[in-house]
Amino acid sequence: MDESELLPIRNFLAEIAPFNELPAELLEECSRSVSIGYYSKVSGSVPLSSENPMLYIVRSGAFEVRNAEGELLDRLGAGDYFGFPSLMSGESISNKVLILEDGLVYHLTLSLFEKLRAGCRAFDRFFNRAYAKRLRHQKASHNVALMTANRISSLMVMAPVSVDHKTPVCDAAKLMRKHRVSSALVIDNQKLVGILTDRDLRNRVLAEGLNGNVPVYQAMTSAPVTIDANALVFEAMLQMSQHNIHHLPVLENGQPVGMVTSTDIIRSQSSQPIFLIGEIERQQDVASLIHVSKQIPLLLQNLIGADARAEEIGRILTSVTDALTRRLIQLNQALLGEPPLAFCWLAFGSQGRQDQMACSDQDNGLLLAKEPDAAATAYFDALTHAVCSGLNDCGYVFCPGDIMAQNPAWRMSLENWQQKFSGWVNTPEPKALMHASIFFDMRCVFGPESLFTALQNQVLATTCDNDIFLAALAGNALSESPPLGFFRQFVLERDGSEEKGIDLKHRGSVLINDIARVYALSAGINEVNTAKRIRVLIAQGILTRKDGLNLADALEFIAHMRLANQGRQYENREALSNYLRPQALSSLMRHQLRDAFKVVHDAQAALKLKFMRSF
Amino acid sequence: MSPWQQLSLAWRARGAAPLLREYYQSLHPLLQRPLSDVSLVAVDMEMTGLEPQQNQIISVGLVPLIQQRLQLATAEHQLVGISGSVGQSAVIHGIVDRHLQAQTLAQQHLLSWLLQRVMGKLMIFHHAPLDLAFLSALVPKAPGSALRFPVVDTLQIERRRLLRERHILPQGCLRLGACRQRYHLPVYAAHNALMDAIACGELFLAQTASIDPHVAVAEFLWWP
């Protein structure tokens, strides 16, 4: 066949990653070797055969990958793949692929898939990453450790500076200066034979009184320690400390493909959450704490880049805020002396729910064990002002509604707090309900847990099965609706003449938080994180498993879109916002986002039915 | 397969040349089998015009459909030598006279070339009568004596399906592209016999995707 005949198929493959990286002849072989199938919604799922694993390339339609427990792992549209995990692991297939919309699928055989992986590094890397990502989603409780389990290939310098072994050292040094690197690979006959570093030039050339004409092989460190591109960052750190070296050539199939230095590793680790929290705890004054907090936007960026789940990103960012808050309290206590009585630092709103994202403001309060005297009042006034302005300097701006511990109104004894909450519950006026959405999501960040529990238990006792309060709260939760119009088109927010896009926060995440809060307060559940609330609601049978999982999926998806959108805004140096332009979405994403909003819509209807029936 | 169909197949094969008779006989065991168990081949041809007696076939595309999947690895595209020029038809199929000089098959060998490749397999066409008329014109000795083996015609399947929903079919709604659109199949920009054979095969997959695969293949056949 001549190559023009299958042009539509080849052109399709040539546009999707990683097929776009294939050399022309392999791409041509692919388009000549696929087999084509069509899967109908009527049949439910794609029959996957463990004996004959294939790479499935979605040409049209929409599919959903779920694990054996029925949990959603991925949604797929044109240009996406499935079937690769078993191709790569050789293990039998446990996931199911459900058909959402009829679609055409191209199949690629195992032998060709392996040929492509062997023949094209970018192709191989793409599927290695996709596989790792799928595995990650597979494991219900993957955690922060994942971040330190990054592979070397993700941070090495590609196309490292290399010189032939016979090059004079002065030419090598010039090349290193030109590329501003501290080391170069030494190559003989396409093989790595050594590494030339600044230290070698100093110790083996200058200190020996040799001139620049010495060939590189006389000065280099021969047979250097190397590392495989698939090794973990952790393993590279181990190698470096064992051999007391700072440069590791990276090999792939025995060929040098890159270089990783200790600086690369330190840079990659410094914005890791564990490292950052460790740094925060080490700082001895507020000024250096503020300096460390400058890393937080980079942390967020890295987490988005690492494709962590939105729920986890929220938890990680919140734990950084918690650590900052605690350290600020400790540092200021050291200045002001021991506190006159026991107290809890309360976090409300997003910090309370552990779903902080970029540009959060602070919502906090102080819970005192008993009514303070004048001296204690002065002490806590000084402490809270110092901590709140410290947080402000660290990027958590003062709360525009003044819900802060430095405001005397939100610095109360246990008894006064209990009265305050009772007031809101018994007289659910609009202002009280507005407060409820912030204050009922509270968490203790610092101080004795028992003091906090005493407040929380009393609050839950008053809300539990309190029909009037719950109806008012549900009504408040229904005052906004997801941005779906009559024809299921997105409704866009407008700001004067300018179109702002879909408000993912106020017409998405906030609505789900509101729904989960009403249910949680009605059942006396002490969790405040929305995903955790939903899990408990499912466990207690208050939400059906299906509705609960759908709501949790919608929460995660909308939060994910918010983060991805902010990641894009950050990269483009735009101001961060919660507005998403639907034009920026692929058709599959639009489809999924509509689904997610539909779930919110249905959950609102169910909430209305359950709590507002008699009103 | 009903006895009538068996008889009909034997009747239609009578007097045919040996290779053609062999093809009729190879279809025999297929007709009673379920759809999922039968091998098929989607076929498309480009011609210099629409008149079987005056115009000629200039290319043939084939793609086997085995176990419900189109197998591109064994697909074929064959150019056919013609007497005269492709003329204005080049506008449609993109084959110009220059292409026809190399690696072409002589018109008189086309039918046996095709039969060898479809032996034991049912052929799928979109609008079979036209293709069959052109192929019939190739039968040696008795040109024009019609080929009468059963085939799958995706146009007929679509017509039947649409007529169940409405009485009058709008013009053009049975064209290959229009049919494909109803199944959300991709638009293929290029037109050659092979891509059109694939397009036709995909349409058949889509038409039968929601049907129980145990239904006998005979249900989908069109008998000329």
Side-chain angles (χ1 to χ4, degrees), chain A residues 9 122 129 135 154 200 206 247 299 308 348 390 413 444 458 462 515 564 597:
Chain A
I9 294 172
R129 285 193 189 145
L135 274 187
S154 68
D200 294 332
L206 287 175
H247 302 84
L299 169 69
F348 302 117
S413 66
C444 173
Q458 190 259 350
T462 57
I515 292 167
F597 285 133

Side-chain angles (χ1 to χ4, degrees), chain A residues 563-614:
Chain A
L563 282 168
N565 193 40
Q566 291 183 344
R568 204 165 37 230
Q569 290 167 341
Y570 181 86
E571 271 175 10
N572 298 338
R573 295 168 195 278
E574 295 167 21
L576 298 193
S577 82
N578 293 306
Y579 289 101
L580 174 72
R581 291 174 191 284
Q583 306 91 290
L585 294 174
S586 72
S587 69
L588 180 73
M589 292 293 228
R590 257 203 295 272
H591 182 93
Q592 294 179 355
L593 193 58
R594 253 201 304 268
D595 277 0
F597 285 133
K598 179 81 169 48
V599 167
V600 179
H601 177 265
D602 292 349
Q604 283 195 333
L607 188 77
K608 187 172 183 182
L609 198 67
K610 186 167 162 81
F611 293 101
M612 298 179 70
R613 210 169 6 188
S614 47

